[in-house]
Amino acid sequence: MWLTQLDWQNLLPNLVGIWYAGQGLFRPKGTTLEALLLPTIVWLAVTFLLKEISPKPNFYSRLVVSVGLGALALRYLLWRLFNSLNLDDPLNGAVSILLFVAEVLNLGNTCCFFFLSIFATNRTPEADRLSQAVIRGEYLPWVDVILPTYNEGVEILRRSVVACQAMDYPHKRIYLLDDTRRPAVRALAAELGCEYRDRPDNRHAKAGNINHALPTLTGELIAVFDADFVPSRNFLTRTVGFFQDPKTAMVQTPQNFFNEDPVTVNLGLEGILNNEQTLFFRFIQCSRDFFDAVICCGTCFVVRRSALDEIGGIPTDSITEDYLTSMYLQGRGYRVKYLNEALSAGMSPETISAYVNQRLRWGQGTLQMLFLKDNFLTIPNLNPIQRFYHSLGVIYWLLCIPRVIFLLAPLAFLLFGLAPLRATFNEILYFYFPYYLGNIMAFAWLTEGRRSAFWSDVYETLLAFPLALTIVRTLWSPRGKPFKVTPKGIVDPHRITVNWPLIRPLLILMLLTILGFLWRSSPLQDTIVNPDSLLVNALWSVYNFTILILCMLVAIDVPQRRHSRFSRQEPCELILGHDSCFVQTADLSEAGARLSLTPPWPLPLKEDVGELCFVDPSPLAPLSLPIQVRWWRWVDRNTLQLGVQFSELPLPTYRRLVEYLYCQPGQWEEVRVPEVKTAWALIKSVLRLYPLAESR
């Protein structure tokens, strides 16, 4: 055995010798600014050249960038290992090694992300081909469309059921699975003409709700939507065709959202930053599909009933039952495919507390899988790359621990004089800056503007402390916290809410940073401060301080609209009493509209109750909606705007409006964010140079 042949007595001295020898290899080649910035300039030139040759990343450009960034990350980590560890004493050594291990985990995860994203599967051509059998009526299996609900309001459920009924597919049945046995929901199902199911208890939450209904379902396929999600008319047309292959057990589609997430809303950056989950659903899942490691996300998917029965229904061993479902199907040899098309949309959490609680639940559920008898390490028939990809899902949630370390590390120097990072400013420029700047550029380019590396730091910092506590609690007691549904709706949309549980640790960090700067610059301390150490930690602290400020702003829920509005310019006739005039909608919701009037507008505002009649060429013509004028204002000298609220709508009218607002194929566009625009968004966020009132 090779282990017995090792010279264990001389192993440690040899390793120490290698470490000292490596110190001479990793030093800056020159001290001029040009020499220090040379690696950065070279890599930026390579990146710009690739962007000119291939504006849209392809396999080869992703390969070059991923290998290049991997090399820069390895170069930086080798320098950290050989030249920047502080092993002068046990305390400095422990803190320095802890920081290094955190960096290895973080950079390792980033490199895995880039390398795995070289490969991706695009199933749109396959959907184009397979959907023809559905369109021609040659393949039309019965589909049971289920909407599990717990505490969602009746109006939310009404919209979702109407949208499901509007799908262009003849053989479908809609089921409301009510886990709280509400008479109002039963009455809604009767009014809309869909099936209603309830159960006597709430065991195993959503998974238990679905499993209880399974014996009453007869369809060959089951489509699952969360209670707040609305599918496009072509959802089943685009997905059902895949099941002509008997080895296909599930088709997952992306989650899209018709409202902005609370991070974007609280910073006033609607339309500038896209939803935080876009990166996963529109980029990472395509790479997972290439390696047959797609994750079921609990909504917007279709599953084969026989395959679901084969694994015993929806697993109830974890509060992330959807993740387990996909892994168990893959372990049985079935394919879980991913169609990267925006075929539905739902409600993103509307408050920052709901957003954070949802992420904590996901993290807890993912870690719970480690304690199951059947997990990604033990499920039979998974190949090594599937196991590796699923393990990255666990590692992602553990990265909150390194994030906390990165926030605390500069304070070790500022408050206690410890030096976890022994480096000069020149070394940072030479070894770290090329990787950092290259990562920022490559991240935005390879993800096609779906995410900025800086804003990723903001999202991760916001969750770092509560998620770290959840991770520790889950590892200590995996079953300690029960499933909790993400709340939908806002109690008081006009109120400003300060989320102190989120703000407190961030505020403490900011105060400690300020105290640390004051202490290091104070004449009271008797130690000589190393200028390079002070400069490096100062820059590090300023970066952390900027992110902390943004996170504190995010933690303050600002007033927002009760209903999502859609920019729609449709010609209408406004009738108030005996007067009428032609207007145009500026935006529409299921509850009201904003109208624009331009001269000549002879309408006197004597009446506030009337009708809004859509006229040709609007696709809503000749729909007529009862309205009440709620406000009016001059936008400029020639434009008057009215805000109107719809009165109670007849069901056929409501169906027409919902289908127009939510169910049109191809309507859910992605936001692509140029880095320059992201930088300006950052300045606006920190300085709050936007009028909150106008954005509401």
Side-chain angles (χ1 to χ4, degrees):
M1 294 291 291
W2 64 273
L3 285 174
T4 60
Q5 298 173 1
L6 283 176
D7 185 1
W8 290 98
Q9 186 174 359
N10 296 318
L11 179 62
L12 183 60
N14 288 336
L15 290 176
V16 173
I18 293 173
W19 184 68
Y20 278 111
Q23 291 183 348
L25 297 176
F26 294 93
R27 296 190 185 279
K29 311 303 181 184
T31 57
T32 64
L33 184 62
E34 293 81 0
L36 294 173
L37 291 178
L38 182 61
T40 304
I41 295 171
V42 169
W43 181 244
L44 290 182
V46 171
T47 305
F48 277 117
L49 180 61
L50 284 174
K51 290 178 69 174
E52 289 297 320
I53 297 174
S54 174
K56 184 178 178 64
N58 55 34
F59 172 81
Y60 297 102
S61 59
R62 290 196 298 264
L63 176 64
V64 171
V65 169
S66 299
V67 171
L69 276 175
L72 289 174
L74 179 62
R75 171 179 176 266
Y76 168 72
L77 288 177
L78 289 174
W79 166 73
R80 286 282 286 114
L81 175 64
F82 289 118
N83 279 79
S84 65
L85 294 181
N86 183 359
L87 306 179
D88 289 348
D89 57 73
L91 184 57
N92 269 297
V95 176
S96 186
I97 291 174
L98 180 65
L99 176 61
F100 177 69
V101 170
E103 287 190 86
V104 170
L105 288 174
N106 193 62
L107 269 69
N109 180 75
T110 301
C111 289
C112 286
F113 165 80
F114 280 114
F115 277 106
L116 291 172
S117 65
I118 295 172
F119 309 94
T121 297
N122 178 14
R123 295 202 181 273
T124 291
E126 188 179 355
D128 293 339
R129 175 174 53 85
L130 295 175
S131 64
Q132 294 306 307
V134 179
I135 294 171
R136 292 193 300 264
E138 299 169 0
Y139 182 71
L140 293 171
W142 275 96
V143 180
D144 293 324
V145 182
I146 62 175
L147 293 96
T149 173
Y150 180 75
N151 60 359
E152 293 82 5
V154 169
E155 288 307 311
I156 293 176
L157 298 176
R158 181 189 303 273
R159 177 179 60 213
S160 299
V161 171
V162 166
C164 288
Q165 291 174 329
M167 288 189 289
D168 294 330
Y169 190 83
H171 295 168
K172 64 180 185 294
R173 288 179 290 259
I174 317 299
Y175 294 81
L176 264 177
L177 310 185
D178 182 18
D179 221 11
T180 46
R181 302 161 290 281
R182 290 167 288 175
V185 177
R186 182 185 292 273
L188 176 68
E191 176 192 353
L192 298 179
C194 71
E195 299 288 332
Y196 176 84
R197 299 287 186 274
D198 62 6
R199 58 179 179 145
D201 56 49
N202 304 108
R203 293 181 66 247
H204 303 304
K206 179 181 175 181
N209 192 6
I210 296 175
N211 289 338
H212 182 268
L214 284 179
T216 70
L217 307 183
T218 58
E220 182 180 336
L221 304 177
I222 299 173
V224 181
F225 296 98
D226 280 349
D228 56 295
F229 270 76
V230 288
S232 300
R233 288 197 303 269
N234 62 341
F235 182 92
L236 292 177
T237 305
R238 298 294 293 172
T239 54
V240 166
F242 285 95
F243 293 90
Q244 296 171 81
D245 175 11
K247 295 305 292 181
T248 298
M250 180 184 290
V251 175
Q252 175 71 58
T253 66
Q255 290 186 23
N256 304 276
F257 302 94
F258 51 76
N259 63 322
E260 303 277 2
D261 72 33
V263 175
T264 303
V265 172
N266 292 345
L267 290 177
L269 301 179
E270 297 96 325
I272 297 176
L273 292 181
N274 56 20
N275 191 283
E276 175 252 352
Q277 295 186 60
T278 302
L279 177 68
F280 176 78
F281 284 111
R282 307 311 295 268
F283 190 76
I284 295 176
Q285 283 277 59
C286 300
S287 172
R288 282 181 167 272
D289 196 11
F290 184 89
F291 297 105
D292 193 18
V294 171
I295 294 175
C296 173
C297 301
T299 183
C300 317
F301 70 89
V302 184
V303 64
R304 191 186 298 275
R305 170 64 185 273
S306 59
L308 190 60
D309 288 341
E310 194 173 325
I311 63 170
I314 304 293
T316 58
D317 301 322
S318 167
I319 59 175
T320 49
E321 72 291 330
D322 41 10
Y323 200 153
L324 281 180
T325 301
S326 51
M327 283 201 303
Y328 287 177
L329 290 172
Q330 290 160 357
R332 293 295 182 112
Y334 287 108
R335 290 300 306 272
V336 177
K337 296 182 177 180
Y338 189 73
L339 179 59
N340 190 17
E341 296 181 7
L343 300 175
S344 61
M347 294 176 63
S348 180
E350 296 171 282
T351 64
I352 197 62
S353 60
Y355 169 88
V356 170
N357 288 334
Q358 184 185 66
R359 270 53 177 183
L360 298 185
R361 187 179 76 241
W362 292 349
Q364 177 189 354
T366 304
L367 286 184
Q368 281 179 342
M369 293 190 299
L370 293 173
F371 300 90
L372 301 179
K373 179 182 178 182
D374 295 322
N375 57 46
F376 58 86
L377 297 175
T378 61
I379 293 175
N381 302 321
L382 293 182
N383 61 47
I385 192 67
Q386 286 176 308
R387 298 185 194 279
F388 175 69
Y389 225 140
H390 288 311
S391 71
L392 288 179
V394 175
I395 292 173
Y396 169 79
W397 294 107
L398 295 176
L399 289 177
C400 62
I401 306 296
R403 177 65 55 184
V404 171
I405 293 173
F406 299 153
L407 292 171
L408 296 177
L411 296 179
F413 172 80
L414 294 176
L415 294 176
F416 306 108
L418 301 176
L421 175 64
R422 175 179 281 169
T424 65
F425 181 70
N426 288 352
E427 288 174 322
I428 295 295
L429 274 182
Y430 191 71
F431 289 104
Y432 180 68
F433 195 58
Y435 166 77
Y436 178 73
L437 196 59
N439 182 39
I440 287 179
M441 292 191 61
F443 202 82
W445 176 46
L446 291 181
T447 62
E448 301 180 57
R450 293 184 176 96
R451 179 70 73 85
S452 158
F454 174 82
W455 288 103
S456 292
D457 285 352
V458 173
Y459 279 99
E460 292 168 11
T461 301
L462 176 69
L463 294 171
F465 287 98
L467 185 55
L469 291 175
T470 297
I471 296 302
V472 173
R473 185 168 52 239
T474 303
L475 293 176
W476 178 261
S477 177
R479 300 288 179 179
K481 191 175 181 180
F483 182 92
K484 187 176 181 181
V485 176
T486 303
K488 302 295 190 302
I490 308 173
V491 176
D492 185 358
H494 305 295
R495 175 185 171 190
I496 294 177
T497 303
V498 180
N499 295 274
W500 286 109
L502 280 177
I503 288 179
R504 283 191 193 100
L506 308 177
L507 185 60
I508 291 171
L509 268 182
M510 294 175 66
L511 294 176
L512 290 177
T513 301
I514 295 172
L515 289 175
F517 273 120
L518 294 175
W519 172 245
R520 282 296 131 200
S521 58
S522 169
L524 298 177
Q525 60 168 337
D526 53 1
T527 58
I528 299 176
V529 178
N530 183 295
D532 272 310
S533 295
L534 182 59
L535 179 59
V536 169
N537 282 279
L539 292 175
W540 191 351
S541 297
V542 167
Y543 182 80
N544 284 349
F545 202 87
T546 302
I547 291 179
L548 291 172
I549 290 175
L550 286 173
C551 290
M552 288 182 62
L553 295 176
V554 167
I556 302 173
D557 285 315
V558 299
Q560 54 183 295
R561 300 185 178 108
R562 190 179 294 275
H563 296 278
S564 296
R565 296 186 184 180
F566 300 91
S567 178
R568 299 283 194 273
Q569 287 72 48
E570 300 292 352
C572 307
E573 183 182 12
L574 177 63
I575 303 173
L576 294 176
H578 298 290
D579 299 307
S580 68
C581 69
F582 288 98
V583 299
Q584 187 178 57
T585 62
D587 58 48
L588 272 172
S589 74
E590 61 199 276
R594 181 162 56 98
L595 310 177
S596 293
L597 291 77
T598 55
W601 50 278
L603 179 66
L605 297 177
K606 297 177 181 178
E607 302 281 347
D608 63 354
V609 176
E611 287 184 287
L612 185 67
C613 304
F614 292 88
V615 298
D616 291 329
S618 170
L620 286 173
L623 190 68
S624 178
L625 304 176
I627 58 98
Q628 181 179 12
V629 177
R630 302 306 301 266
W631 56 263
W632 63 274
R633 65 167 176 255
W634 289 97
V635 177
D636 54 45
R637 184 177 301 176
N638 295 315
T639 304
L640 178 69
Q641 284 194 342
L642 302 179
V644 300
Q645 180 180 341
F646 301 147
S647 303
E648 186 173 350
L649 301 177
L651 183 57
T653 302
Y654 179 79
R655 288 186 185 276
R656 184 91 176 272
L657 186 60
V658 167
E659 291 172 20
Y660 170 75
L661 291 176
Y662 296 96
C663 303
Q664 299 184 62
Q667 77 176 88
W668 307 114
E669 298 291 337
E670 290 185 82
V671 177
R672 305 296 176 91
V673 188
E675 283 300 303
V676 173
K677 194 171 184 179
T678 301
W680 174 236
L682 167 63
I683 295 172
K684 292 195 339 181
S685 299
V686 174
L687 301 180
R688 308 292 277 184
L689 295 178
Y690 53 88
L692 269 176
E694 290 187 9
S695 68
R696 308 297 151 224

